[in-house]
């Protein structure tokens, strides 16, 4: 509309100008002309469409919706459709290997070594069974530079009878063990004050053989659903060939109660040891050495568990009766430990504080150090507390680790130390500096340890562990025969379905011992003797001829080092044993 209006104005203006200009040019003779005006021109503006400011809503679409109520009439419809059944995919399963109930092992090696084992187990009916184990390990000796007989025999037989029921199980055990060893570890400077002839006669007159005999009887009972959880009992009669005798008896029942939503467990201990030695080391009196202790203990505890943490709170109370000296004492120990899952099973932090009263015995000392003299001082060890903390978990599913640090305070800690000696023909066969005594001291130990275990596959397993310890003594000059560093590692793998192999490495750091020669004046203030550290490398190789027969070769101390495990006691060098294992059923 605006465009047409402007065009009309422009056309009218052009006509006006044209008429004026034309009139000026023709002003001489204008002439005459009649113009009829019908209607004068009137300009008008057309209405323009404008968008309204407020839109007009269609109320038809915004009307309130009606609520519609309806019901469905359901009735069954017959169908003849039948889906086909799925078929499980067939999975190839390995044939399960038959497990035999019995086996026999026989091996022979250098140093005229013999290793034999026989295990039998027979089910009498659906619940009862009977079993037995025979073990023998011996060597005819032959360690270089050893002047005395160093052969040994170690034989044992154990019998068991038991029953398994739905609500309980029990078993009784009977055993006998015979050990024959020799005190062959003469001091390096033995006989230094004697003539060669006197020394030769003295060495020839020593009979270093000693014998241990152990008769044991015990049993255990377990209940599945009862406040009386379990109980174990053991009696040992331990004797030697020189008149020493010891009886050890303990019974340890365990009770379990549910209070509120928590379970309270209570362990009860009755532990007795008593025995005698015919005389002391120096024979200062003719009276035998007698000892006897009865330890009565109770240890209640309960466990609290939440999503990521577990808390075990308890305590142990022991009353120790010194049956020979009437010196009775009461001991109270903490039993506390807690764990927290920092990163699920990948990292678990744990910490705690524990204590215990350890019953020492002649049998335990002799099993740890076979060369002790039958003149020991027997007393319990009071571990006042063991405060520890660490991390454990899994690096990946098949690799686990454990790192731990601890601080232990012990009173009456038992230490092995070499016996003093004198070059006298009236000595007992163990009194030439070739045996060990037990001394006690109050000690604190700071210890760091760790281990790593890995199952790389079904065919390869690996493990390594180690510890570092720092000892502090109150009375003794050193922590006798305790190494600062200990390491061990092992690996086992299946080469083929028939062949398998493995290896183990042990490292023990330096230790210190003390020995005094009472005939030498300059030795009255002795200096500790340092025992060198050592590696012990062992390996084995086996071949499965079939499911029952397996042959093996074992090599020990492969580095061929005659290191001293105890002062003046070198071990056998390179050892090899060849043998076979046979599994069978009756």
């Amino acid at each position: 509309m605006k465009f047409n209006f402007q065009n009309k104005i422009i056309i009218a203006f052009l006509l006006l100008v044209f008429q004026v200009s034309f009139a000026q040019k023709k002003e001489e003779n204008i002439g005459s002309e009649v113009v009829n005006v019908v209607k004068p021109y009137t300009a008008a503006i057309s209405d323009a469409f404008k968008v309204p400011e407020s839109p007009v809503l269609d109320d038809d679409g915004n009307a309130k919706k009606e609520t519609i109520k309806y019901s469905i009439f359901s009735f069954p419809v017959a169908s003849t459709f039948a889906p086909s059944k799925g078929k499980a995919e067939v999975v190839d399963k390995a044939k399960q290997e038959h497990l035999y109930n019995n086996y026999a092992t026989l091996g022979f090696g250098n140093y005229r070594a013999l290793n034999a084992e026989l295990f039998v187990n027979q089910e009498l009916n659906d619940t009862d069974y009977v079993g037995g184990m025979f073990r023998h390990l011996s060597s005819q000796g032959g360690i270089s530079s050893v002047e005395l007989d160093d052969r040994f025999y170690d034989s044992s037989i154990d019998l068991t009878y038991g029953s398994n029921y739905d609500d309980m199980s029990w078993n009784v055990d009977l055993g006998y063990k015979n050990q024959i060893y020799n005190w062959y570890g003469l001091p390096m400077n033995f006989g230094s004050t004697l003539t060669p002839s006197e020394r030769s006669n003295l060495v020839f007159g020593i009979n270093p053989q000693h014998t241990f005999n152990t008769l044991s009887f015990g049993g255990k009972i377990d209940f599945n659903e009862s406040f009386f959880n379990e109980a174990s009992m053991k009696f040992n009669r331990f004797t030697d060939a020189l008149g020493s005798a010891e009886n050890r008896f303990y019974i340890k029942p365990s009770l379990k109660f549910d209070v509120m939503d928590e379970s309270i467990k209570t362990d009860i201990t009755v532990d007795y040891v008593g025995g005698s030695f015919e005389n002391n080391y120096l024979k200062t009196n003719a009276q035998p050495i007698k000892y006897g202790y009865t330890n009565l203990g109770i240890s209640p505890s309960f466990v609290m568990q939440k999503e990521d943490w577990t808390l075990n709170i308890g305590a142990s109370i022991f009353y120790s009766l010194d049956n020979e000296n009437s010196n009775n004492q009461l001991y109270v120990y903490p039993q506390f430990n807690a764990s927290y899952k920092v990163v699920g099973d990948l990292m678990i932090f744990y910490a705690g504080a524990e204590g215990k009263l350890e019953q020492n015995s002649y049998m335990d000392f002799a099993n740890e150090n076979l060369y002790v003299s039958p003149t020991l001082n027997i007393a319990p060890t009071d571990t006042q507390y063991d405060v520890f903390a660490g991390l454990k978990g899994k690096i990946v599913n098949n690799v686990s680790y454990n790192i731990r640090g601890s601080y232990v305070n012990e009173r009456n800690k038992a230490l092995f130390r070499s016996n003093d000696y004198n070059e006298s023909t009236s000595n007992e066969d163990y009194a030439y500096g070739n045996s060990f005594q037990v001394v006690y001291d109050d000690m604190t130990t700071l210890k760091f340890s760790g281990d790593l275990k890995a199952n790389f596959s079904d065919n390869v397993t690996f493990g390594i562990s180690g510890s570092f310890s720092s000892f502090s003594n109150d009375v003794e000059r050193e922590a006798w025969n305790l190494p600062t560093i200990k390491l061990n590692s092992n690996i086992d793998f299946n080469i083929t379905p028939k062949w398998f192999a493995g290896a183990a490495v042990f490292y023990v750091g330096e230790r210190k011992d003390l020995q005094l020669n009472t005939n030498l004046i300059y030795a009255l203030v002795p200096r500790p003797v340092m025992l060198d550290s050592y590696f012990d490398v062992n390996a084995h190789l086996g071949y499965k001829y079939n499911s029952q027969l397996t042959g093996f070769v074992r090599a020990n101390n492969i580095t061929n080092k005659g290191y001293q495990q105890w002062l003046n006691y070198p071990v056998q060098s390179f050892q090899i044993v060849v043998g076979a294992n046979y599994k069978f059923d009756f």
Side-chain angles (χ1 to χ4, degrees), residues 1 5 41-46:
M1 300 296 293
F5 174 74
Y41 174 78
T42 303
I45 300 177
S46 176

Side-chain angles (χ1 to χ4, degrees), residues 439-460:
V439 296
Y440 295 88
D441 197 4
D442 295 342
M443 289 180 54
T444 58
T445 304
L446 180 62
K447 183 177 180 179
F448 299 96
S449 61
D451 63 77
L452 181 71
K453 297 179 180 179
N455 296 326
F456 296 114
S457 66
D458 293 337
N459 296 323
V460 181

Side-chain angles (χ1 to χ4, degrees), residues 47 70 78 85 142 151 180-181 186 204 206 219 229 279 283 294 355 370 377 413 427 429 443 506 551 561 576:
D47 293 332
Y70 60 91
K85 295 182 180 180
R151 72 184 69 186
I180 301 175
Y181 286 85
L186 292 176
F204 183 78
I206 298 175
N229 192 24
N279 58 323
K283 293 185 178 180
T294 303
L370 295 164
N377 179 24
K413 169 72 173 179
N427 286 347
D429 295 315
M443 289 180 54
F506 303 92
K561 299 294 184 181
I576 187 168

Side-chain angles (χ1 to χ4, degrees), residues 381-392:
T381 296
D382 172 21
T383 303
Q384 294 187 327
Y385 55 83
D386 177 1
V387 181
F388 60 89
L391 287 174
K392 62 181 180 179

Side-chain angles (χ1 to χ4, degrees), residues 29 37 42 47 49 101 104 130 174 269 302 386:
N29 185 12
V37 178
T42 303
D47 293 332
F49 174 76
N101 292 325
V130 63
L174 178 65
T269 301
F302 69 94
D386 177 1

Side-chain angles (χ1 to χ4, degrees), residues 229 254-259 262-268 298-304 311-317 333-337 353-354:
N229 192 24
S254 178
L255 310 178
K256 192 174 183 180
F257 301 92
D258 291 331
V259 178
E262 303 296 339
S263 179
I264 298 178
K265 183 180 179 181
T266 302
D267 296 328
I268 300 173
I298 183 170
S299 304
S301 63
F302 69 94
V303 178
M304 298 176 59
L311 183 63
N312 190 332
I313 301 175
S316 294
I317 302 174
Y333 302 106
Q335 298 293 338
F336 167 81
N337 61 77
E354 298 176 351

